Amino acid sequence: DPGVVLPQEEEYESFVSSLPSNPKLQLLRYQGKWLLQSWVPGIIAIQRGGFAPRRGGGDIVLASLPKCGTTWLKALAFATMARRAHPPAGDEQHPLLRLNPHDCVPSMEKLFAAGLGSKIMDALPSPRLMATHVHHSLLPASITDNPHCKIIYICRDPKDMIVSLWHFVRRRLPEIPFLELFESACEGRCLSSSIWDHILGYWNASKTTVLFLRYEELLHDPADSVRKLARFVGQPFSPEEEEAGDVEDIVRLCSFEQMKNLEVNRAAGLSPVLQQNAYTNGSFFRKGGTGDWANHMTPEMAERLDAIVEEKLRGSGLSF
Ligand code: A3P
């Protein structure tokens, strides 16, 4: 119920246990959306006013559904925005060579769930760079109605996203059948409610404060997306930077092959911020392409999902 009153701290546990749940997929239904239960405390904290926009410096929020290119977008945005302090080539100490992108760009709901929201966010340089998987309609007005806060959204062909999600979820639930995840997605019960609902929320806002990107576009012409991103965050590449090949260096630094093969992403270790999920750094780098859906879906399944998505997006001007 979107009109629900947010619980006080002491009522939180009983409030959460009263929410409709899907224990197998660890989902809770909150304000009309199916959400990973681990996100809910963070979302409530953010909605309660935990997120304080930075005056003057600005905030950049990277938004996505899981498995749509979040890790890549985090790397590209971080490399672009930090390029003066950390040149994308020739810096052996570049943070992206030593850290998983999720440790360079914090995920808001995880930070706020851990009670670290303001502590870590206050320490970030301006403009602050952060990320969320939360639906646009669940974000507070301090993000969505704030001219100093910009959102960059990335989406992906839902068929490839579901395949990627299945491989990811199998790390925790090895026995989960692909068909089960596929059916939930078709019924609009995937992570973050329905896929189309999440995409449309950001798409409809993209006429104003959201830069809308697609994973497939990034694959096709990553340099073009990096230039768009840099312009959008108010840090366009200068003719000198273009001449020096900085855009291409950023693309190379963040490329799938480069990132997947880094020691930090090959190691079985867990990144500090991701520990609670028990996913290793390497689990964010699998195949990194398009069309893997054909190895998991029959043509009929693909047609069915395409038709559902097409119908849901009809009239929006957006298609896959
Ligand atoms: P696949 O499972 O299809 O390979 P997210 O970061 O949102 O969790 O999305 C993960 C998907 O993005 C995975 O897709 C992963 O391989 C891919 N990915 C991660 N880093 C990438 C990069 N640098 N370039 C291209 N794809 C990348």
Side-chain angles (χ1 to χ4, degrees):
D1 170 12
V4 75
V5 177
L6 297 178
Q8 295 303 309
E9 211 84 59
E10 61 277 12
E11 297 163 1
Y12 176 73
E13 268 179 37
S14 62
F15 172 77
V16 167
S17 59
S18 72
L19 295 173
S21 65
N22 175 337
K24 185 169 177 195
L25 292 179
Q26 300 187 343
L27 303 178
L28 291 177
R29 190 152 176 89
Y30 175 67
Q31 297 195 338
K33 318 284 175 208
W34 283 105
L35 304 167
L36 262 188
Q37 66 191 38
S38 61
W39 299 357
V40 175
I43 294 172
I44 293 177
I46 293 167
Q47 292 180 334
R48 260 201 203 128
F51 173 80
R54 181 167 286 174
R55 291 188 196 287
D59 289 313
I60 310 292
V61 178
L62 309 179
S64 60
L65 272 171
K67 316 327 294 171
C68 288
T70 318
T71 315
W72 194 10
L73 180 60
K74 281 186 175 186
L76 291 168
F78 180 87
T80 302
M81 291 170 61
R83 66 189 190 269
R84 300 217 164 90
H86 303 288
D91 174 5
E92 283 175 14
Q93 290 305 309
H94 196 290
L96 286 169
L97 296 177
R98 296 181 281 113
L99 300 168
N100 180 279
H102 293 284
D103 290 328
C104 296
V105 182
S107 299
M108 295 173 70
E109 44 278 14
K110 289 198 188 110
L111 280 190
F112 280 95
L116 296 169
S118 26
K119 190 169 164 222
I120 294 193
M121 307 272 269
D122 287 353
L124 293 175
S126 290
R128 295 186 300 186
L129 183 57
M130 60 203 96
T132 185
H133 286 315
V134 171
H135 192 285
H136 190 268
S137 67
L138 297 187
L139 293 175
S142 53
I143 295 179
T144 54
D145 292 341
N146 175 355
H148 304 292
C149 184
K150 294 179 173 178
I151 298 175
I152 304 178
Y153 185 71
I154 186 161
C155 68
R156 186 181 191 185
D157 180 333
K159 301 193 292 306
D160 282 334
M161 179 238 161
I162 292 170
V163 167
S164 182
L165 182 64
W166 179 65
H167 283 284
F168 195 69
V169 169
R170 275 172 79 206
R171 292 172 177 265
R172 192 168 49 78
L173 293 172
E175 76 294 353
I176 188 167
F178 177 72
L179 207 56
E180 183 176 328
L181 211 62
F182 176 82
E183 284 298 334
S184 335
C186 288
E187 290 163 15
R189 284 186 295 105
C190 208
L191 296 180
S192 261
S193 192
S194 62
I195 296 173
W196 44 88
D197 197 25
H198 200 280
I199 296 174
L200 277 176
Y202 284 94
W203 172 252
N204 290 333
S206 70
K207 284 129 208 159
T208 50
T209 54
V210 179
L211 173 65
F212 197 88
L213 300 174
R214 288 161 176 259
Y215 181 84
E216 294 76 15
E217 268 170 19
L218 255 71
L219 277 179
H220 176 67
D221 191 347
D224 181 57
S225 297
V226 168
R227 289 191 182 95
K228 262 191 213 152
L229 189 154
R231 278 196 300 274
F232 184 73
V233 301
Q235 301 176 7
F237 289 92
S238 66
E240 295 73 28
E241 287 178 314
E242 285 285 357
E243 180 75 15
D246 288 4
V247 178
E248 288 73 19
D249 287 339
I250 288 173
V251 168
R252 210 170 299 119
L253 176 69
C254 303
S255 72
F256 182 76
E257 286 308 318
Q258 156 78 14
M259 302 227 99
K260 185 182 169 87
N261 291 315
L262 288 173
E263 186 61 36
V264 64
N265 293 327
R266 275 195 323 214
L270 301 172
S271 93
V273 279
L274 297 169
Q275 253 171 24
Q276 77 240 44
N277 288 342
Y279 291 115
T280 62
N281 284 348
S283 55
F284 293 87
F285 306 93
R286 193 182 63 93
K287 278 197 162 180
T290 56
D292 195 27
W293 61 264
N295 297 316
H296 298 274
M297 291 180 199
T298 61
E300 293 73 31
M301 288 164 77
E303 270 171 36
R304 180 176 155 212
L305 181 57
D306 279 344
I308 294 174
V309 173
E310 193 185 316
E311 200 249 294
K312 300 290 180 186
L313 299 185
R314 187 163 300 142
S316 68
L318 181 65
S319 61
F320 283 92

